[in-house]
Amino acid sequence: MKKYFAEFFGTFWLIFGGCGSAVLATAYPELGIGFAGVALAFGLTVLTMAYAVGHISGGHFNPAVSVGLFIDGRFNGKDLLPYIVSQVIGAIAAAGVLYLIASGKTGFDAVASGFASNGFGEHSPNGYDMMAALLIEFVLTAFFLIIMGSTDKPAPAGFAPIAIGLGLTLIHLISIPVTNTSVNPARSTGVALFQGGWAVEQLWLFWLASIAGAAVGAAIYRFVLANNDK
């Protein structure tokens, strides 16, 4: 069970740190961290937890990553569903704690604020439509799985969390204006449930695009880029 708890706590930290920075610190008067700060927060959460518990569970913290690594042949299929369940529960728990904290501010409204949820159309931070959201989530998740190649045995040992954390930071720098950045169905689900309106209605896109992108990225790495003689 340790690996499932590791995925729970790792995903909790990812959502609490990343979405927490967006909800609590993005527009703080005069000292707000902005998009760049949120992007860095997401990268740092993955980097720190990958070092902390990656040796226990592999440090997925993302259903799309688990699916991709299964397709790449580096993850046992019997663990796929328990990993995804652990990740989603961790995301919901983190969003719940964040909601309780955010509710301590007078006037807080998760529905009106969006609660760091992912969205498209009128709910995109900069008004991007559904096709733009679908495409960017698909492409960036595919590249995130290619970046996960840094965990492969021939790669330099010990540096994978840095590559993955910086990769996730870059992904957020690119796509926060488009969708608020998902590339992680658990991340999208946790906060959407507390937003409770349009975020739940649009949640399907962030599962579909991320899982499909992960599958394609993993297949590209496995069949095109990986050293199959290792």
Side-chain angles (χ1 to χ4, degrees):
M1 293 295 293
K2 286 184 179 180
K3 56 190 175 184
Y4 304 141
F5 280 117
E7 286 298 303
F8 170 88
F9 287 116
T11 310
F12 183 104
W13 187 236
L14 172 65
I15 278 59
F16 188 75
C19 294
S21 69
V23 171
L24 304 175
T26 303
Y28 187 80
E30 289 147 17
L31 294 174
I33 61 175
F35 284 173
V38 174
L40 183 60
F42 272 100
L44 288 174
T45 58
V46 169
L47 188 155
T48 52
M49 271 295 164
Y51 275 122
V53 301
H55 60 286
I56 299 172
S57 68
H60 299 187
F61 318 141
N62 182 340
V65 169
S66 296
V67 170
L69 293 179
F70 169 69
I71 291 172
D72 188 35
R74 289 189 283 154
F75 182 56
N76 195 323
K78 71 179 179 62
D79 285 326
L80 184 57
L81 183 58
Y83 263 53
I84 292 174
V85 171
S86 299
Q87 292 154 0
V88 171
I89 293 174
I92 294 171
V97 173
L98 179 59
Y99 180 85
L100 292 174
I101 294 169
S103 297
K105 180 180 179 180
T106 302
F108 171 75
D109 185 341
V111 176
S113 68
F115 200 52
S117 297
N118 301 117
F120 55 85
E122 64 179 307
H123 304 298
S124 159
N126 207 24
Y128 287 86
D129 65 16
M130 182 182 71
M131 287 306 300
L134 186 67
L135 184 58
I136 199 165
E137 290 289 334
F138 174 86
V139 170
L140 291 178
T141 311
F143 271 90
F144 191 48
L145 263 293
I146 293 173
I147 293 168
M148 293 293 291
S150 61
T151 64
D152 208 351
K153 289 182 180 179
F159 292 98
I162 298 174
I164 294 166
L166 291 177
L168 190 60
T169 300
L170 175 59
I171 285 169
H172 279 77
L173 289 173
I174 296 168
S175 59
I176 285 177
V178 183
T179 62
N180 243 359
T181 309
S182 173
V183 300
N184 184 338
R187 173 260 188 269
S188 299
T189 301
V191 290
L193 295 180
F194 287 88
Q195 196 281 331
W198 58 262
V200 175
E201 295 171 2
Q202 296 189 350
L203 189 56
W204 64 270
L205 183 143
F206 300 100
W207 276 87
L208 175 63
S210 296
I211 297 295
V216 170
I220 290 172
Y221 183 79
R222 180 173 185 178
F223 298 111
V224 178
L225 299 175
N227 178 8
N228 294 318
D229 296 327
K230 62 181 182 291

